[in-house]
Amino acid sequence: MKQAITAKDVAKLAGVSQSSVSRVFFDGAKVSEKTRAKIMAAAEQLGYRPNEFARSLITNRTRIIGMVMKGVQNPFYPQVLKQFATAFKEEGYSILYVHTNNDEIEAEDVETLLNYNVAGVIITDAAMASTVEKQFEVNKIPVVFFNRKLNTDEFYSVCCNNVDAGRKIAEFLINKGATDMAYITGDEKTSTSRERQRGFQEILDQRKIAYRQFASDYTYNGGYQTAMQIIGKESLPAAFFVANDIMALGVLDALKNSGIKIPEDTKVIGFDNIDMASWPAYQLTTWEQPIEKMVETTVAYLLNEIAEYTGLAEVVEVDGSLIERFTT
Amino acid sequence: MKQAITAKDVAKLAGVSQSSVSRVFFDGAKVSEKTRAKIMAAAEQLGYRPNEFARSLITNRTRIIGMVMKGVQNPFYPQVLKQFATAFKEEGYSILYVHTNNDEIEAEDVETLLNYNVAGVIITDAAMASTVEKQFEVNKIPVVFFNRKLNTDEFYSVCCNNVDAGRKIAEFLINKGATDMAYITGDEKTSTSRERQRGFQEILDQRKIAYRQFASDYTYNGGYQTAMQIIGKESLPAAFFVANDIMALGVLDALKNSGIKIPEDTKVIGFDNIDMASWPAYQLTTWEQPIEKMVETTVAYLLNEIAEYTGLAEVVEVDGSLIERFTT
DNA sequence: CTGAAAGCGCTTACAG
DNA sequence: CTGAAAGCGCTTACAG
């Protein structure tokens, strides 16, 4: 009842074979201009669209990209999703959105991706077990970790240059005159949090500047709570480097609520440059992640791998840049 | 090369027919426990998964829900996306994410949805031309407008009870002693903005309370700019009803930046109850949209229509509730 | 309960 | 360049 119009119908109306209809709608096939015109006219009249499933069944490939996301509460990710959706639409690919509730991508989600035989997979903030990895590999489905690096070097991964950003941030704060500093971590299982920390601490150690670290979780509430605990118990550091913006906003609110003046009493710098960082209420100095470049890189890689699978594993690091506002 | 394992392979290993393998993996088909066990064992050993495309081709239905979104910059929508993804995953459905850049859903996006023969469509903040409507109808694809109501009554639509919420908000502010009020609109093409306004103004008119209206656009920056213009030129109203939260935050920041005390000098109430509304920096009084109930209603409707298409068009309005914080 | 067979709507060698 | 035909991996009447 659904999908009433098939290539056969078009063929009949146009007075040609079904194969010719197929050729018109399949890129790369040859048809004479004359038959093409006849077929296009008939197709238009009937409202024909090729059945994507029949097509996928026979070609054994799809034009679907699996997008695995977890942290939609962080505005960074909706932004990323939007950009991927837009970029892939231009290339004729659609997005299968898979929301995972776990740190690690769930078996069920992998099933979904494999069932739909996705052309490629982008994983934004989840990890992946090595058994899962094998499944994608066996099926020659390229996978990109976006904004995450795994411990193994068996994956293609697109990140901001986090270590270097940490270094630059340290130097920036030193130049601002900060003499002791605190790093508020994100989820410590993530490469992003660890690498930002590494670069940051490296410079402070070199310059013999006091370094403290407080564990948090990449959420607004986490940042708020962590800052409150510091304010209650510890001396105030001269500057905070907070592992991402949304958490930095929490830190900022906690400090302000406690009557601490920014940037006079202490300074705060975040990471990501989400929209809110530029809001008048915050005016957060931060490190901009080059989302566009990261997305471009990811799309280019996936399209290449789709065209010819190589399984290339590599970590691509794109440079971000400091955005100075009023919290430093 | 991909999708190496088919039902045939499993059948061979289990010593049964391919039809029996199919029956084991197709809900509702009957197989004896004995053959089922044999087949399951073989399937597990080989890592068999039914090919979703072959399945869809023959049954002429899919387990894909098309999700059309525009405004991912408003944190309300990522929240909605997450809840839909989670709810549909439980039902065995996947989400095809379609990002539209237009107010009206684009022809290209409709093509995508039709090509994938989606089982149902959810449209969150875009409109739809009537030609498009027909296409879904002809294909018996159920469509839900989520948080939007169209001018025509030809669609199923799930909303918060916006008119009533507007009334309640007016009464609430009157009880707080506000004697003249302003409504800051969202995008005026949307039903949500107009209906919230209607209920709000209705009560003010009844009580003969001064009402002003300022056009804005549902974004943070829009709220900020609109408030700034009011502050420059107009007398300050005793209370603002701002058509959504993200814009209310902009209004709040503009007021605060201008040295206006809240809730003493003026009051502000938003709409949605996004996470940020509860942040210490804002503590925004707002109207909570019952996302969960709205999602449940939508999912239930779609599953019904998928099971048996009726094309039922109805506007379902779910009641929200006032969340009082410190801006009123 | 089970198997053989038709058929879903396409793509793609293979002839002509 | 074009058509007839095989086949992708399933579901589903139809017999037995």
Side-chain angles (χ1 to χ4, degrees), chain A residues 43 48 51 56 59 68 85 118-119 124 155 165 173 175 179 202 225 246 280 286 291 293 295-296 299 302:
Chain A
Y48 170 72
N51 181 313
S56 288
T59 59
V68 183
V118 292
T124 56
F155 281 103
L173 292 174
N175 288 340
T179 50
E202 177 188 310
Q225 300 301 342
I246 194 92
T286 189
I291 299 189
K293 264 189 278 176
V295 167
E296 261 173 41
V299 172
L302 284 178

Side-chain angles (χ1 to χ4, degrees), chain A residues 275-276 278-280 283, chain B residues 73 184 215-229 244-251 253-254:
Chain A
D275 281 355
M276 281 174 252
S278 70
W279 287 6
Q283 287 293 333
Chain B
Q73 83 293 343
I184 300 194
S216 197
D217 64 357
Y218 272 147
T219 69
Y220 175 91
N221 283 327
Y224 191 88
Q225 300 302 340
T226 305
M228 282 314 235
Q229 282 165 22
N244 77 353
D245 279 355
I246 194 91
M247 191 163 58
L249 301 184
V251 170
D253 281 343

Side-chain angles (χ1 to χ4, degrees), chain B residues 77 124-125 145-150 157-159 190-192:
Chain B
Y77 290 106
T124 57
D125 52 357
F145 281 84
F146 186 88
N147 199 32
R148 282 291 180 278
K149 223 152 107 178
L150 293 198
S157 158
V158 176
C159 291
T190 64
S191 58
T192 46

